[in-house]
Amino acid sequence: MSQAMKTYQPTCSIEALKARAEMYHKIRQFFDERNVLEVETPVLSQAAVTDVHLASVQVQRHIHGKLNTQYLQTSPEFPMKRLLASGSGAIYQICKVFRDDEHGRKHNSEFTMLEWYRVGADYIALMDDTMAVLRLAVQAAGTATLAYRGMICDPALPPERLTVAEAV
């Protein structure tokens, strides 16, 4: 048994928890200022995901005395699009999602996802939203840049914008 499993101590520091809470607060404030409604959709579904590149986590439950298989969401996309089709207007959600067969040093089977839809917004507006949210996340983390696999992203700089043809 590993040392981490022998202790009751969490693996996340209090500083990291506070930074995450501040980031969530800033994200909620960002969407609230734009009249985007926060929603909460079901985590369990009767059907698995249809994306062939994702594996759903199965859950066995007893419902009215019968064993049923349900699935934990891999993304809130489908129930959020049902809300959009029902006339919800612009919506967002910060929620837990689950993916089977995905686990690694920097990738967990359970993680938090931010998903949003702005009715009538074009891709340029959504790109602007994305950069603004990245800036908020960096600010909450107390750093100026993001780094991944040797690449550095400075959200304070204007992003490079490519067409699909240019990106291929």
Side-chain angles (χ1 to χ4, degrees):
M1 182 178 283
S2 73
Q3 184 61 29
M5 303 222 20
K6 293 178 185 177
T7 178
Y8 69 92
Q9 295 291 327
T11 57
C12 186
S13 71
I14 297 301
E15 292 78 22
L17 292 173
K18 288 179 179 179
R20 181 173 48 208
E22 178 65 15
M23 180 180 62
Y24 289 172
H25 172 73
K26 288 182 180 297
I27 289 169
R28 287 184 169 103
Q29 187 175 36
F30 171 85
F31 286 113
D32 187 53
E33 289 169 358
R34 288 156 181 78
N35 296 314
V36 180
L37 178 66
E38 183 173 11
V39 298
E40 185 175 75
T41 59
V43 174
L44 282 173
S45 175
Q46 298 295 326
V49 66
T50 57
D51 186 327
V52 297
H53 300 290
L54 298 177
S56 297
V57 175
Q58 293 185 22
V59 177
Q60 299 292 316
R61 295 187 57 221
H62 286 90
I63 301 174
H64 304 296
K66 293 177 70 177
L67 189 61
N68 289 294
T69 300
Q70 292 185 310
Y71 303 89
L72 294 173
Q73 70 179 348
T74 58
S75 164
E77 178 183 358
F78 182 69
M80 289 180 76
K81 286 184 175 176
R82 288 179 63 200
L83 289 171
L84 288 168
S86 297
S88 67
I91 55 175
Y92 80 98
Q93 184 170 190
I94 300 171
C95 62
K96 292 293 185 183
V97 295
F98 306 85
R99 309 246 171 113
D100 210 4
D101 290 334
E102 292 189 27
H103 193 80
R105 193 172 134 256
K106 293 190 173 186
H107 192 110
N108 290 319
S109 297
E110 173 188 345
F111 57 97
T112 304
M113 178 181 283
L114 165 63
E115 186 142 346
W116 74 92
Y117 297 93
R118 288 199 16 217
V119 177
D122 64 10
Y123 73 96
I124 300 292
L126 295 175
M127 289 168 67
D128 291 341
D129 284 354
T130 302
M131 286 308 300
V133 169
L134 277 175
R135 287 183 192 106
L136 294 173
V138 166
Q139 182 184 30
T143 185
T145 61
L146 301 169
Y148 182 71
R149 293 186 178 177
M151 301 290 291
I152 304 293
C153 171
D154 184 347
L157 298 176
E160 180 181 6
R161 296 190 182 213
L162 305 172
T163 66
V164 173
E166 292 169 333
V168 184

